[in-house]
Amino acid sequence: MRYLIILLIVFPLLIKAQEISLKGRVMNKKNQPLSGVNIYISGSYDGAMSDSTGRYQFETALQGKQTLIFSLSGFKILQRELELKSDMEVNITLEPEAEMIEAVEIRAGQIQVGNKYNAVLSPLDIVTTAGSMGNIIAALEKLPGAQIAGEDGRLMVRGGDPSETQTLVNGIQVFQPYTPQANNMPVRGRFSPFLFKGTNFSTGGYGAEFGNALSGVLNLTTAQEIQEPKTELSFSTVGLGISNTQAWKDNSLSINLTYTNLTPYTKLISDRIDWLRPFQQASGEAIWRKKGKNSFLNLYATYSFEDFKFKDESVEFGQQVTTDIRNKNAYVNSTYTHSLANNWKIDVGAGLGYSNKDLGYHEYFIPNTQWGTHVKASIRKTAGLKWQWLMGAEHFYQKVDESFQIGESAAVDYGFKCNYGALFTEGNYQLIRGLSLSAGLRYINTLKSQQFVEPRASLGYLINKNHQVSFAYGHYHQEAPEFIAKFKQDLPWAFAKHYVFNYSWLQKGRLLRFEAYAKDYKGLYQYDTPSPQYQSQYAANGFGQVKGIDVFWKDNKSIPNLQYWISYSLTDASKKEAFYPVSVQPTYVAKHQFSIVAKYWISALRSQASITNTYGSGRTYFNPNEVKYPMSKTKGRNDVSVSWSYLLSQQKILFLSMTNVLGNEPIYGYQYRSTADSNGHYQSQAITPNAKHFIFVGFFWTISKNKKDNQLENL
């Protein structure tokens, strides 16, 4: 670890050579300027984007023979060989792709959120969705294949429980991506949207680089570019925040501080919770970026503290009980990229996570401490569109310590350690024109007598520039989740096999995406009590199958100023896991999920209006008063949320949002008492939201030299 830290910090500090200025103009065949063209020197990060007049300019310390690349979606990539000795002007003309078929843009199971041509959503889309409240996780629920249980808040993918989806930052695992959870109170994602410019959300069939996830991977990425200086202020009904970015030479530092306190809010708007100490959170994030001649370094760090206490009704005790939580969480992530000659690239990264949670519930005191590390290194080689190759290695370590104490009695200590390594390799090859194959292997050694080899493959065919199909297949293993592993160590890893078929139709401003999939499970975890406990008996002999279809339609073009998208998911899940004696639809899965999101820009009012309607069919629950299987089922839930963003000026925004405007009262399921009464009946309690609505009002102010810059993309 010491040598890795030295490599990350010392290696990028390169001596800056005398710089050469490159400038010019990019036009099309009709002699019209092209904006947004990506211009860069091959094998380096030196480059620029053309402006609205087609002009570009940047400086480089490179000299001698170099290759200047011009790239724009819909046009042929142009490479120009140069001899860099002094300042140069290079004017070029790009030719359209016309009927030329190049490489497959979409891999089955993978959803891109970013500024790429094949992106399902842009960063702006994902955080201006009504009902998301700036929570990246909540916004992802509006995508096909994703679900969030209302009483939980964590992301679930295609019939998998929340533990089956891993969250990463720049490819490095985050061990605690959510705020602390209390009884039937949904959590939030920990990360601020404005620090992340891209999202790779895989709902299945993902490549050999990622593992320890049976269902999905959410990889958040920071921009590999120096940020412009600015200050952002926010004031809202739940707290305040400030962020500042400073830049000097080839460095930038961004710091984001937020404080949330629900005390004023709970006094104005009541809910079913009897708050003794309303939710408070103080958090800070920082990211330092350094650009070298052929390298880029990201150092990200975050710390947060949460504190809350409340009373609510417990069916188990037949009275109100107190929940008291104090939590501290820290995470550090560093990634370094270095481009070598001949299109070789090295990536190294490391992450360290720490969490300390003190939970008081009724007469119980349950402190929990967690540590986690992830170290990763890889090397990549690219040969144009013909083939790309990746090879790497990584190591994970996690340690969880927990104890359980009743009153003044002696505490019972338990926990687990996880320690494993992995090797991975994958190549992408263009077999013939328009037909691409990705094939990879991942090898896992748990360092405790378990070893796995996981084949992964994806085949894609670009029918023409608008239509493409792809198929993905893969083997995936995952260790026992924390809520089981802390009671029973060394259980065999669970296994899933993925089959995913994708058809996509893309046209400027429109996208249709259809996927059909199947997952086969083995080694799912079971226990002999209604919930995992210290005394429970555990085994890894469960099994299951999930199959379904996902449909996504997005249209930015048909109606001026209107953007909308529609998603539908059919999830047919049958799993024998937990305490179920037979294979059933899991309690956390809705078989049908439908969302429609619409956003309309009203120029006369300088406003953006957004409305979201999300419907989920009924979920199963186990009723001990019934002896039949399958289990009982709740009614479906429907949520209509709205938001309004009003530009007081270009850099000052007033934002209003409200969830569940129709006032529906969904029931997520039921909790039952563990023992029956004298009549043999088990008393029950419905699991419902804490409040019918959540209302948010905020003011956001950006201060920067770029007078067009604002925080609309963060809302």
Side-chain angles (χ1 to χ4, degrees):
M1 176 66 76
R2 180 173 68 249
Y3 299 114
L4 178 60
I5 293 174
I6 293 173
L7 176 64
L8 291 175
I9 296 176
V10 176
F11 191 55
L13 302 179
L14 305 175
I15 299 175
K16 189 174 182 181
Q18 183 178 359
E19 292 188 336
I20 293 172
S21 175
L22 278 169
K23 65 179 181 179
R25 197 175 188 190
V26 187
M27 312 291 283
N28 62 17
K29 295 184 71 173
K30 296 181 179 179
N31 205 33
Q32 297 170 330
L34 292 176
S35 63
V37 180
N38 188 21
I39 304 114
Y40 63 97
I41 296 176
S42 177
S44 80
Y45 284 97
D46 295 340
M49 299 281 283
S50 62
D51 61 20
S52 59
T53 66
R55 299 186 184 279
Y56 70 92
Q57 182 172 359
F58 66 94
E59 284 72 40
T60 179
L62 298 174
Q63 296 186 8
K65 292 184 178 180
Q66 302 293 338
T67 301
L68 189 61
I69 296 177
F70 298 81
S71 174
L72 179 64
S73 178
F75 290 82
K76 297 179 182 179
I77 295 175
L78 178 67
Q79 300 186 17
R80 180 68 60 86
E81 301 297 327
L82 302 175
E83 181 74 27
L84 295 183
K85 296 180 180 179
S86 59
D87 294 351
M88 298 183 66
E89 181 172 345
V90 182
N91 300 313
I92 61 98
T93 299
L94 290 184
E95 296 183 3
E97 287 184 346
E99 297 301 320
M100 190 173 108
I101 296 178
E102 291 291 354
V104 176
E105 290 284 339
I106 291 178
R107 176 173 179 152
Q110 183 169 289
I111 298 176
Q112 290 283 351
V113 177
N115 295 315
K116 295 184 178 181
Y117 174 67
N118 64 336
V120 169
L121 301 179
S122 70
L124 179 61
D125 294 336
I126 203 169
V127 290
T128 56
T129 299
S132 69
M133 300 294 183
N135 181 7
I136 296 174
I137 304 301
L140 290 175
E141 183 191 17
K142 312 309 185 288
L143 295 179
Q147 291 188 24
I148 293 177
E151 76 281 16
D152 184 280
R154 293 179 296 170
L155 183 64
M156 299 180 294
V157 172
R158 289 180 172 171
D161 71 37
S163 68
E164 295 183 23
T165 298
Q166 296 289 355
T167 301
L168 305 100
V169 170
N170 293 329
I172 303 299
Q173 183 172 332
V174 179
F175 294 91
Q176 293 294 330
Y178 301 102
T179 56
Q181 187 172 23
N183 186 31
N184 298 325
M185 293 183 63
V187 300
R188 284 178 59 89
R190 289 191 174 278
F191 301 105
S192 170
F194 93 95
L195 288 179
F196 297 94
K197 300 301 182 184
T199 302
N200 185 341
F201 178 39
S202 180
T203 54
Y206 46 90
E209 183 179 358
F210 303 110
N212 198 21
L214 289 182
S215 289
V217 170
L218 174 62
N219 186 24
L220 306 173
T221 57
T222 56
Q224 289 200 343
E225 58 187 26
I226 304 303
Q227 301 299 293
E228 295 182 356
K230 63 180 177 180
T231 298
E232 295 180 330
L233 305 173
S234 63
F235 307 90
S236 73
T237 49
V238 296
L240 51 88
I242 181 172
S243 66
N244 179 262
T245 297
Q246 295 294 328
W248 64 100
K249 295 183 179 179
D250 294 325
N251 299 264
S252 69
L253 176 65
S254 300
I255 298 176
N256 181 48
L257 303 174
T258 60
Y259 175 68
T260 301
N261 190 325
L262 293 185
T263 300
Y265 185 88
T266 57
K267 291 184 180 300
L268 293 173
I269 301 176
S270 60
D271 57 29
R272 68 172 180 84
I273 298 295
D274 183 8
W275 290 101
L276 303 176
R277 193 171 60 246
F279 180 86
Q280 297 181 65
Q281 182 191 55
S283 64
E285 295 174 291
I287 181 166
W288 173 48
R289 298 174 172 93
K290 179 174 179 58
K291 178 182 177 181
K293 184 172 69 171
N294 297 303
S295 62
F296 202 92
L297 172 69
N298 268 304
L299 179 60
Y300 172 80
T302 180
Y303 177 84
S304 65
F305 173 76
E306 292 92 14
D307 180 19
F308 55 100
K309 184 178 182 179
F310 63 90
K311 284 184 178 181
D312 66 343
E313 196 69 28
S314 168
V315 67
E316 180 66 26
F317 298 103
Q319 63 182 27
Q320 278 198 330
V321 298
T322 301
T323 300
D324 187 354
I325 292 181
R326 287 182 172 86
N327 184 79
K328 292 177 287 187
N329 181 275
Y331 178 70
V332 179
N333 174 298
S334 180
T335 54
Y336 174 73
T337 298
H338 191 86
S339 296
L340 305 173
N342 299 318
N343 292 319
W344 286 90
K345 187 171 72 169
I346 295 175
D347 295 289
V348 293
L352 171 65
Y354 167 77
S355 174
N356 180 270
K357 176 182 175 182
D358 289 333
L359 167 62
Y361 180 73
H362 194 43
E363 299 176 343
Y364 312 139
F365 179 59
I366 312 173
N368 177 290
T369 302
Q370 301 187 27
W371 288 93
T373 62
H374 179 197
V375 180
K376 180 178 180 180
S378 64
I379 185 167
R380 303 169 190 263
K381 168 69 174 177
T382 301
L385 296 174
K386 292 297 182 183
W387 62 272
Q388 298 88 36
W389 176 73
L390 163 72
M391 181 178 70
E394 57 188 348
H395 178 266
F396 296 82
Y397 174 79
Q398 188 177 11
K399 183 175 184 290
V400 175
D401 292 313
E402 188 171 286
S403 62
F404 180 87
Q405 183 177 8
I406 303 177
E408 300 299 325
S409 62
V412 177
D413 299 322
Y414 47 90
F416 74 95
K417 293 180 181 179
C418 172
N419 192 18
Y420 73 93
L423 302 174
F424 54 88
T425 183
E426 188 165 59
N428 181 276
Y429 311 92
Q430 189 175 29
L431 302 177
I432 60 175
R433 196 176 183 185
L435 182 65
S436 296
L437 170 68
S438 291
L441 281 175
R442 182 178 179 87
Y443 167 73
I444 302 172
N445 190 322
T446 69
L447 308 181
K448 291 183 179 179
S449 74
Q450 294 189 72
Q451 300 180 59
F452 313 105
V453 175
E454 300 176 334
R456 315 270 178 91
S458 175
L459 185 67
Y461 179 60
L462 190 63
I463 301 171
N464 56 42
K465 63 180 181 179
N466 298 119
H467 302 269
Q468 50 191 285
V469 294
S470 59
F471 175 79
Y473 168 84
H475 288 197
Y476 304 88
H477 291 83
Q478 182 173 328
E479 64 179 322
E482 176 204 332
F483 65 87
I484 291 177
K486 67 184 180 183
F487 297 128
K488 175 65 174 177
Q489 296 190 48
D490 303 331
L491 283 166
W493 284 37
F495 169 74
K497 189 184 297 183
H498 293 193
Y499 307 85
V500 187
F501 169 79
N502 172 281
Y503 164 76
S504 295
W505 176 81
L506 299 94
Q507 195 180 65
K508 188 175 182 181
R510 297 187 183 98
L511 167 65
L512 173 64
R513 180 186 178 100
F514 171 86
E515 287 199 345
Y517 65 90
K519 289 194 294 185
D520 292 323
Y521 286 93
K522 291 182 181 179
L524 295 178
Y525 301 106
Q526 293 196 282
Y527 35 88
D528 60 352
T529 52
S531 61
Q533 299 175 11
Y534 183 75
Q535 302 90 346
S536 304
Q537 298 296 313
Y538 297 92
N541 52 18
F543 56 88
Q545 185 181 65
V546 182
K547 53 183 184 286
I549 59 173
D550 293 332
V551 182
F552 183 84
W553 165 256
K554 182 183 179 185
D555 186 356
N556 298 340
K557 188 176 181 180
S558 297
I559 302 175
N561 299 325
L562 176 67
Q563 174 192 93
Y564 72 94
W565 67 82
I566 301 171
S567 66
Y568 168 74
S569 295
L570 167 64
T571 308
D572 185 9
S574 180
K575 299 168 75 175
K576 184 182 179 184
E577 61 180 358
F579 65 97
Y580 307 135
V582 296
S583 185
V584 297
Q585 177 183 324
T587 59
Y588 46 81
V589 175
K591 187 171 184 178
H592 302 278
Q593 178 100 351
F594 173 84
S595 292
I596 180 167
V597 177
K599 302 176 184 181
Y600 187 70
W601 174 254
I602 308 171
S603 300
L605 299 179
R606 295 187 300 178
S607 299
Q608 177 180 269
S610 176
I611 183 169
T612 300
N613 186 26
T614 303
Y615 170 80
S617 61
R619 290 162 44 193
T620 59
Y621 63 93
F622 174 68
N623 184 352
N625 297 311
E626 300 284 347
V627 295
K628 65 178 181 178
Y629 272 85
M631 301 180 290
S632 302
K633 185 175 290 187
T634 66
K635 294 182 179 180
R637 65 176 181 89
N638 192 70
D639 184 322
V640 177
S641 299
V642 297
S643 70
W644 186 280
S645 303
Y646 174 62
L647 275 68
L648 299 169
S649 66
Q650 185 62 36
Q651 294 189 311
K652 296 175 183 176
I653 300 173
L654 181 64
F655 179 76
L656 302 92
S657 182
M658 181 178 180
T659 63
N660 192 24
V661 295
L662 300 181
N664 294 325
E665 299 181 355
I667 295 177
Y668 302 131
Y670 290 87
Q671 290 180 323
Y672 288 85
R673 195 165 187 169
S674 60
T675 57
D677 59 22
S678 58
N679 298 320
H681 182 80
Y682 293 86
Q683 294 184 7
S684 66
Q685 176 179 302
I687 303 173
T688 60
N690 298 332
K692 283 187 179 182
H693 316 280
F694 187 82
I695 301 171
F696 179 89
V697 180
F699 171 71
F700 301 87
W701 184 12
T702 298
I703 305 170
S704 69
K705 292 182 178 180
N706 181 2
K707 299 305 179 182
K708 295 183 179 181
D709 198 7
N710 59 42
Q711 298 180 64
L712 185 62
E713 67 178 40
N714 303 327
L715 306 181

